Amino acid sequence: MFKGIRIAVALVSAAMLILVAGCGGSEQGAAKPGDKIVLGFSQIGAESEWRTANSESIKASAKEAGIDLKFSDAQQKQENQIKAIRSFIQQKVDVIAFSPVVETGWDAVLQEAKAAGIPVILTDRAIKMSSGNAEDYYVTFMGSDFVEEGRRAANWLVGFMKKDNEPVNIVELQGTVGSAPAIDRKNGFEEILKGHSNYKVIKSQTGDFTRAKGKEVMESFLKSAKAEGQKIDVLFAHNDDMAIGAIQAIEEAGLKPGKDIIIVSIDGVKGAFEAMIAGKLNCTVECSPLLGAQLMEAIKDLKAGKTLNKRIVTKEGVFPADVAAKELPNRKY
Ligand code: AHR
């Protein structure tokens, strides 16, 4: 009888020991073989058609890859992204990925991720550290070459306008202030125009990558140009959404977008192809948001112990209006 009780007590104690050991393991985030990889992803927001396609690509690809995705939308605020990354660190996720809304201001939180031993992947946008080498704080950066996109927009424009001596007045709708695409696209565009002194950017302001802001800023460009007796020949918009907003402003001002004002923008979203087919936009330079599959593959490689390339550049093209109708059915975003 006593012997039976002793055996029962020993069995219960052993079971409790196993349970306690199990709890300790998961508190430390130790991944057990067969466990799902946990990815914390901090998205900028939903400011554009591009961004929505990017979020969908990440969510669908995580599901397909069997990766447990913790997705957080920062509503275009850096402080929200920092909070999300800190919460991922606390939750001891396996990998953190994020698309940084602006280039700077990540030092502290990335040092925390590094101290916690959690690898960080940058998607879409680059960062700069105020001290030290940014590359020491992430395992890979995947996304477009924004400087090249700016160059492509300018090269297309110069080839299309075929004006070597006459002045060409350009207005520019910039993306979010301090963001990598706004800085780089501006630089790439200006780099090409340096070789064409008759092309001048006469007004340049941020439209924050949104349609509403793009429309509002274009309205003010049109008003001030009229008051100053200037003619606007070209609009360069850092993304399609701002160009689409600006198209409305141009039409409301009684002008023909795509004819009275030549428009080149960046992204290649379906909305831009529709605007080109309607004759209201002249060219879109592609910037692909479909980074999901590549991201999941990189995460799996990382967990398998492989070293990732520090920079993975997305391959992209340029789509002028005359190919829009043929291309639209092939567009995936
Ligand atoms: O970082 C990519 C840019 O961000 C896209 O051009 C824009 O549409 C988005 O919001």
Side-chain angles (χ1 to χ4, degrees):
M1 166 78 176
F2 279 123
K3 195 180 169 199
I5 290 172
R6 274 205 306 273
I7 291 171
V9 168
L11 281 174
V12 169
S13 314
M16 279 179 72
L17 264 175
I18 290 167
L19 250 173
V20 169
C23 287
S26 77
E27 263 166 31
Q28 281 156 29
K32 285 163 258 124
D35 268 1
K36 269 188 164 187
I37 299 172
V38 181
L39 163 67
F41 187 87
S42 166
Q43 180 59 289
I44 292 174
E47 75 282 6
S48 60
E49 217 178 308
W50 189 102
R51 189 65 53 197
T52 307
N54 181 245
S55 295
E56 279 166 10
S57 164
I58 285 156
K59 287 177 187 170
S61 304
K63 201 169 170 196
E64 207 180 304
I67 288 177
D68 182 0
L69 173 67
K70 296 185 186 303
F71 186 93
S72 169
D73 178 334
Q75 300 181 340
Q76 277 185 282
K77 291 201 174 77
Q78 183 176 35
E79 71 219 57
N80 290 345
Q81 285 203 289
I82 293 175
K83 261 190 219 152
I85 295 170
R86 289 211 164 108
S87 138
F88 295 148
I89 297 172
Q90 257 179 1
Q91 292 173 63
K92 300 182 169 72
V93 299
D94 296 301
V95 182
I96 292 172
F98 77 114
S99 187
V101 61
V102 289
E103 278 190 334
T104 56
W106 306 102
D107 296 49
V109 76
L110 291 187
Q111 276 154 10
E112 289 163 34
K114 195 173 181 169
I118 302 176
V120 171
I121 295 180
L122 297 183
T123 65
D124 165 37
R125 297 186 182 181
I127 52 157
K128 281 195 177 111
M129 300 294 267
S130 58
S131 64
N133 189 357
E135 290 194 358
D136 295 341
Y137 293 88
Y138 60 84
V139 287
T140 184
F141 162 36
M142 59 179 64
S144 309
D145 180 340
F146 297 136
V147 178
E148 187 53 31
E149 290 172 352
R151 289 187 194 119
R152 284 179 185 156
N155 276 325
W156 173 84
L157 182 67
V158 170
F160 179 81
M161 300 295 282
K162 294 191 182 67
K163 289 191 174 166
D164 294 332
N165 302 308
E166 289 164 67
V168 178
N169 287 346
I170 304 167
V171 295
E172 179 184 34
L173 282 170
Q174 294 180 38
T176 303
V177 176
S179 69
I183 296 166
D184 293 352
R185 287 171 183 169
K186 185 174 186 45
N187 287 341
F189 191 76
E190 284 172 356
E191 181 192 307
I192 299 301
L193 292 193
K194 267 189 202 137
H196 303 271
S197 55
N198 54 323
Y199 287 71
K200 288 224 160 55
V201 176
I202 57 165
K203 291 174 196 300
S204 180
Q205 209 178 302
T206 180
D208 212 11
F209 282 130
T210 68
R211 282 186 195 197
K213 259 305 199 80
K215 179 170 188 253
E216 191 186 308
V217 177
M218 190 66 206
E219 280 166 359
S220 82
F221 283 166
L222 287 162
K223 257 190 216 146
S224 59
K226 199 173 173 185
E228 291 154 14
Q230 281 176 320
K231 182 178 181 304
I232 300 173
D233 300 304
V234 172
L235 163 65
F236 167 44
H238 287 192
N239 82 344
D240 291 339
D241 278 74
M242 292 189 293
I244 292 167
I247 285 170
Q248 283 180 38
I250 295 168
E251 285 179 323
E252 283 170 19
L255 295 167
K256 287 198 172 67
K259 292 183 183 69
D260 295 328
I261 299 180
I262 300 303
I263 308 175
V264 54
S265 58
I266 298 179
D267 275 357
V269 297
K270 280 186 185 158
F273 280 78
E274 283 154 6
M276 287 196 287
I277 292 167
K280 298 178 182 186
L281 178 74
N282 304 86
C283 180
T284 184
V285 173
E286 190 178 32
C287 172
S288 177
L290 307 177
L291 301 172
Q294 218 171 16
L295 173 62
M296 304 312 149
E297 199 184 308
I299 290 168
K300 287 193 167 174
D301 283 350
L302 192 68
K303 294 311 274 180
K306 294 186 191 161
T307 307
L308 305 179
N309 287 336
K310 263 289 174 207
R311 181 75 172 102
I312 303 171
V313 183
T314 321
K315 287 198 183 83
E316 292 150 343
V318 175
F319 298 97
D322 53 0
V323 302
K326 195 173 154 252
E327 281 298 326
L328 180 59
N330 308 324
R331 301 304 294 168
K332 297 206 168 53
Y333 63 94

mmCIF file of all heavy atoms in Angstrom, residues 44 47-48 50-51 99 124-125 146 181 185 209 238-241 266-267 287, ligand 1:
data_model
loop_
_atom_site.group_PDB
_atom_site.id
_atom_site.type_symbol
_atom_site.label_atom_id
_atom_site.label_comp_id
_atom_site.label_asym_id
_atom_site.label_seq_id
_atom_site.Cartn_x
_atom_site.Cartn_y
_atom_site.Cartn_z
ATOM 1 N N ILE A 44 5.182 50.126 -42.141
ATOM 2 C CA ILE A 44 5.062 51.586 -42.013
ATOM 3 C C ILE A 44 3.611 52.003 -41.802
ATOM 4 O O ILE A 44 3.294 52.787 -40.926
ATOM 5 C CB ILE A 44 5.610 52.273 -43.294
ATOM 6 C CG1 ILE A 44 7.125 52.077 -43.380
ATOM 7 C CG2 ILE A 44 5.229 53.747 -43.330
ATOM 8 C CD1 ILE A 44 7.746 52.589 -44.661
ATOM 9 N N GLU A 47 -0.201 53.837 -46.492
ATOM 10 C CA GLU A 47 -0.267 55.155 -47.134
ATOM 11 C C GLU A 47 -0.485 55.117 -48.635
ATOM 12 O O GLU A 47 -0.877 56.122 -49.216
ATOM 13 C CB GLU A 47 1.004 55.955 -46.789
ATOM 14 C CG GLU A 47 2.306 55.550 -47.501
ATOM 15 C CD GLU A 47 2.989 54.306 -46.935
ATOM 16 O OE1 GLU A 47 2.406 53.662 -46.051
ATOM 17 O OE2 GLU A 47 4.097 53.973 -47.389
ATOM 18 N N SER A 48 -0.220 53.963 -49.265
ATOM 19 C CA SER A 48 -0.290 53.918 -50.732
ATOM 20 C C SER A 48 -0.749 52.541 -51.204
ATOM 21 O O SER A 48 -0.736 51.574 -50.438
ATOM 22 C CB SER A 48 1.103 54.214 -51.307
ATOM 23 O OG SER A 48 2.022 53.241 -50.837
ATOM 24 N N TRP A 50 0.869 50.796 -53.184
ATOM 25 C CA TRP A 50 2.107 50.018 -53.077
ATOM 26 C C TRP A 50 2.204 49.343 -51.706
ATOM 27 O O TRP A 50 2.479 48.153 -51.588
ATOM 28 C CB TRP A 50 3.304 50.955 -53.279
ATOM 29 C CG TRP A 50 4.640 50.289 -53.404
ATOM 30 C CD1 TRP A 50 5.325 50.075 -54.558
ATOM 31 C CD2 TRP A 50 5.476 49.767 -52.347
ATOM 32 N NE1 TRP A 50 6.530 49.447 -54.286
ATOM 33 C CE2 TRP A 50 6.635 49.254 -52.933
ATOM 34 C CE3 TRP A 50 5.345 49.683 -50.964
ATOM 35 C CZ2 TRP A 50 7.664 48.670 -52.202
ATOM 36 C CZ3 TRP A 50 6.356 49.088 -50.223
ATOM 37 C CH2 TRP A 50 7.505 48.590 -50.849
ATOM 38 N N ARG A 51 1.978 50.148 -50.660
ATOM 39 C CA ARG A 51 2.157 49.631 -49.297
ATOM 40 C C ARG A 51 1.151 48.520 -49.003
ATOM 41 O O ARG A 51 1.462 47.527 -48.341
ATOM 42 C CB ARG A 51 2.007 50.788 -48.295
ATOM 43 C CG ARG A 51 2.366 50.466 -46.867
ATOM 44 C CD ARG A 51 3.802 50.124 -46.621
ATOM 45 N NE ARG A 51 4.715 51.127 -47.119
ATOM 46 C CZ ARG A 51 6.018 50.916 -47.326
ATOM 47 N NH1 ARG A 51 6.555 49.737 -47.083
ATOM 48 N NH2 ARG A 51 6.791 51.866 -47.787
ATOM 49 N N SER A 99 10.199 47.771 -42.253
ATOM 50 C CA SER A 99 10.382 48.697 -43.361
ATOM 51 C C SER A 99 10.439 50.081 -42.712
ATOM 52 O O SER A 99 9.414 50.614 -42.305
ATOM 53 C CB SER A 99 9.162 48.527 -44.262
ATOM 54 O OG SER A 99 9.313 49.252 -45.428
ATOM 55 N N ASP A 124 12.525 46.819 -48.009
ATOM 56 C CA ASP A 124 12.103 48.011 -48.761
ATOM 57 C C ASP A 124 12.988 49.246 -48.539
ATOM 58 O O ASP A 124 13.447 49.834 -49.496
ATOM 59 C CB ASP A 124 10.607 48.278 -48.439
ATOM 60 C CG ASP A 124 10.120 49.647 -48.832
ATOM 61 O OD1 ASP A 124 10.563 50.141 -49.872
ATOM 62 O OD2 ASP A 124 9.283 50.208 -48.113
ATOM 63 N N ARG A 125 13.226 49.664 -47.295
ATOM 64 C CA ARG A 125 13.943 50.930 -47.066
ATOM 65 C C ARG A 125 15.192 50.756 -46.196
ATOM 66 O O ARG A 125 15.182 49.933 -45.269
ATOM 67 C CB ARG A 125 13.022 51.939 -46.386
ATOM 68 C CG ARG A 125 11.825 52.313 -47.228
ATOM 69 C CD ARG A 125 11.027 53.410 -46.579
ATOM 70 N NE ARG A 125 9.843 53.735 -47.379
ATOM 71 C CZ ARG A 125 8.971 54.666 -47.062
ATOM 72 N NH1 ARG A 125 9.143 55.377 -45.969
ATOM 73 N NH2 ARG A 125 7.930 54.906 -47.834
ATOM 74 N N PHE A 146 16.535 52.821 -55.010
ATOM 75 C CA PHE A 146 15.733 54.038 -55.210
ATOM 76 C C PHE A 146 16.469 55.111 -56.015
ATOM 77 O O PHE A 146 15.846 55.895 -56.723
ATOM 78 C CB PHE A 146 15.318 54.626 -53.862
ATOM 79 C CG PHE A 146 14.423 53.743 -53.026
ATOM 80 C CD1 PHE A 146 14.651 53.575 -51.663
ATOM 81 C CD2 PHE A 146 13.334 53.091 -53.591
ATOM 82 C CE1 PHE A 146 13.831 52.784 -50.885
ATOM 83 C CE2 PHE A 146 12.499 52.293 -52.820
ATOM 84 C CZ PHE A 146 12.756 52.131 -51.466
ATOM 85 N N PRO A 181 13.356 56.417 -49.814
ATOM 86 C CA PRO A 181 12.945 56.611 -51.210
ATOM 87 C C PRO A 181 12.845 58.085 -51.604
ATOM 88 O O PRO A 181 13.132 58.437 -52.750
ATOM 89 C CB PRO A 181 11.574 55.908 -51.294
ATOM 90 C CG PRO A 181 11.139 55.683 -49.901
ATOM 91 C CD PRO A 181 12.365 55.612 -49.059
ATOM 92 N N ARG A 185 15.399 58.982 -54.522
ATOM 93 C CA ARG A 185 14.771 59.244 -55.834
ATOM 94 C C ARG A 185 15.076 60.673 -56.282
ATOM 95 O O ARG A 185 15.321 60.932 -57.455
ATOM 96 C CB ARG A 185 13.252 58.999 -55.747
ATOM 97 C CG ARG A 185 12.937 57.525 -55.674
ATOM 98 C CD ARG A 185 11.482 57.232 -55.363
ATOM 99 N NE ARG A 185 11.286 55.782 -55.240
ATOM 100 C CZ ARG A 185 10.197 55.219 -54.779
ATOM 101 N NH1 ARG A 185 9.169 55.939 -54.400
ATOM 102 N NH2 ARG A 185 10.103 53.893 -54.702
ATOM 103 N N PHE A 209 3.728 60.672 -49.808
ATOM 104 C CA PHE A 209 3.393 59.409 -50.467
ATOM 105 C C PHE A 209 1.885 59.117 -50.505
ATOM 106 O O PHE A 209 1.491 57.981 -50.773
ATOM 107 C CB PHE A 209 4.117 58.213 -49.815
ATOM 108 C CG PHE A 209 5.572 58.066 -50.206
ATOM 109 C CD1 PHE A 209 6.559 57.902 -49.230
ATOM 110 C CD2 PHE A 209 5.955 58.068 -51.526
ATOM 111 C CE1 PHE A 209 7.901 57.752 -49.578
ATOM 112 C CE2 PHE A 209 7.294 57.915 -51.892
ATOM 113 C CZ PHE A 209 8.262 57.756 -50.914
ATOM 114 N N HIS A 238 7.212 61.172 -56.612
ATOM 115 C CA HIS A 238 8.001 60.065 -56.065
ATOM 116 C C HIS A 238 7.198 58.780 -55.922
ATOM 117 O O HIS A 238 7.780 57.742 -55.613
ATOM 118 C CB HIS A 238 8.596 60.444 -54.709
ATOM 119 C CG HIS A 238 9.730 61.422 -54.782
ATOM 120 N ND1 HIS A 238 10.545 61.697 -53.711
ATOM 121 C CD2 HIS A 238 10.183 62.197 -55.799
ATOM 122 C CE1 HIS A 238 11.456 62.600 -54.061
ATOM 123 N NE2 HIS A 238 11.242 62.927 -55.327
ATOM 124 N N ASN A 239 5.852 58.869 -56.036
ATOM 125 C CA ASN A 239 5.095 57.609 -56.159
ATOM 126 C C ASN A 239 3.814 57.837 -56.955
ATOM 127 O O ASN A 239 3.396 58.978 -57.201
ATOM 128 C CB ASN A 239 4.837 56.926 -54.801
ATOM 129 C CG ASN A 239 3.657 57.492 -54.027
ATOM 130 O OD1 ASN A 239 3.172 58.577 -54.317
ATOM 131 N ND2 ASN A 239 3.197 56.756 -53.035
ATOM 132 N N ASP A 240 3.217 56.720 -57.390
ATOM 133 C CA ASP A 240 2.023 56.799 -58.241
ATOM 134 C C ASP A 240 0.843 57.412 -57.506
ATOM 135 O O ASP A 240 0.042 58.134 -58.103
ATOM 136 C CB ASP A 240 1.621 55.379 -58.704
ATOM 137 C CG ASP A 240 2.616 54.763 -59.679
ATOM 138 O OD1 ASP A 240 3.378 55.521 -60.309
ATOM 139 O OD2 ASP A 240 2.623 53.519 -59.800
ATOM 140 N N ASP A 241 0.709 57.109 -56.225
ATOM 141 C CA ASP A 241 -0.447 57.639 -55.491
ATOM 142 C C ASP A 241 -0.466 59.166 -55.504
ATOM 143 O O ASP A 241 -1.515 59.777 -55.726
ATOM 144 C CB ASP A 241 -0.467 57.122 -54.042
ATOM 145 C CG ASP A 241 -1.062 55.736 -53.960
ATOM 146 O OD1 ASP A 241 -0.365 54.781 -54.363
ATOM 147 O OD2 ASP A 241 -2.231 55.608 -53.538
ATOM 148 N N ILE A 266 6.588 56.885 -59.867
ATOM 149 C CA ILE A 266 7.308 55.636 -59.526
ATOM 150 C C ILE A 266 6.382 54.675 -58.772
ATOM 151 O O ILE A 266 5.576 55.131 -57.949
ATOM 152 C CB ILE A 266 8.560 55.967 -58.673
ATOM 153 C CG1 ILE A 266 9.509 56.835 -59.494
ATOM 154 C CG2 ILE A 266 9.269 54.691 -58.172
ATOM 155 C CD1 ILE A 266 10.777 57.277 -58.798
ATOM 156 N N ASP A 267 6.513 53.416 -59.020
ATOM 157 C CA ASP A 267 5.856 52.273 -58.346
ATOM 158 C C ASP A 267 5.369 51.234 -59.354
ATOM 159 O O ASP A 267 5.674 50.072 -59.213
ATOM 160 C CB ASP A 267 4.670 52.662 -57.456
ATOM 161 C CG ASP A 267 5.097 53.085 -56.047
ATOM 162 O OD1 ASP A 267 6.316 53.020 -55.751
ATOM 163 O OD2 ASP A 267 4.229 53.491 -55.261
ATOM 164 N N CYS A 287 8.641 49.826 -59.041
ATOM 165 C CA CYS A 287 9.257 49.572 -57.729
ATOM 166 C C CYS A 287 8.408 48.459 -57.132
ATOM 167 O O CYS A 287 7.259 48.683 -56.759
ATOM 168 C CB CYS A 287 9.179 50.836 -56.868
ATOM 169 S SG CYS A 287 9.702 50.580 -55.162
HETATM 170 O O1 AHR B 1 9.312 52.622 -49.926
HETATM 171 C C1 AHR B 1 8.589 52.442 -51.082
HETATM 172 C C2 AHR B 1 7.642 53.582 -51.265
HETATM 173 O O2 AHR B 1 6.791 53.668 -50.140
HETATM 174 C C3 AHR B 1 6.707 53.490 -52.443
HETATM 175 O O3 AHR B 1 7.169 54.130 -53.566
HETATM 176 C C4 AHR B 1 5.527 54.228 -51.936
HETATM 177 O O4 AHR B 1 4.389 54.138 -52.734
HETATM 178 C C5 AHR B 1 5.438 53.702 -50.573
HETATM 179 O O5 AHR B 1 4.549 54.276 -49.748
#
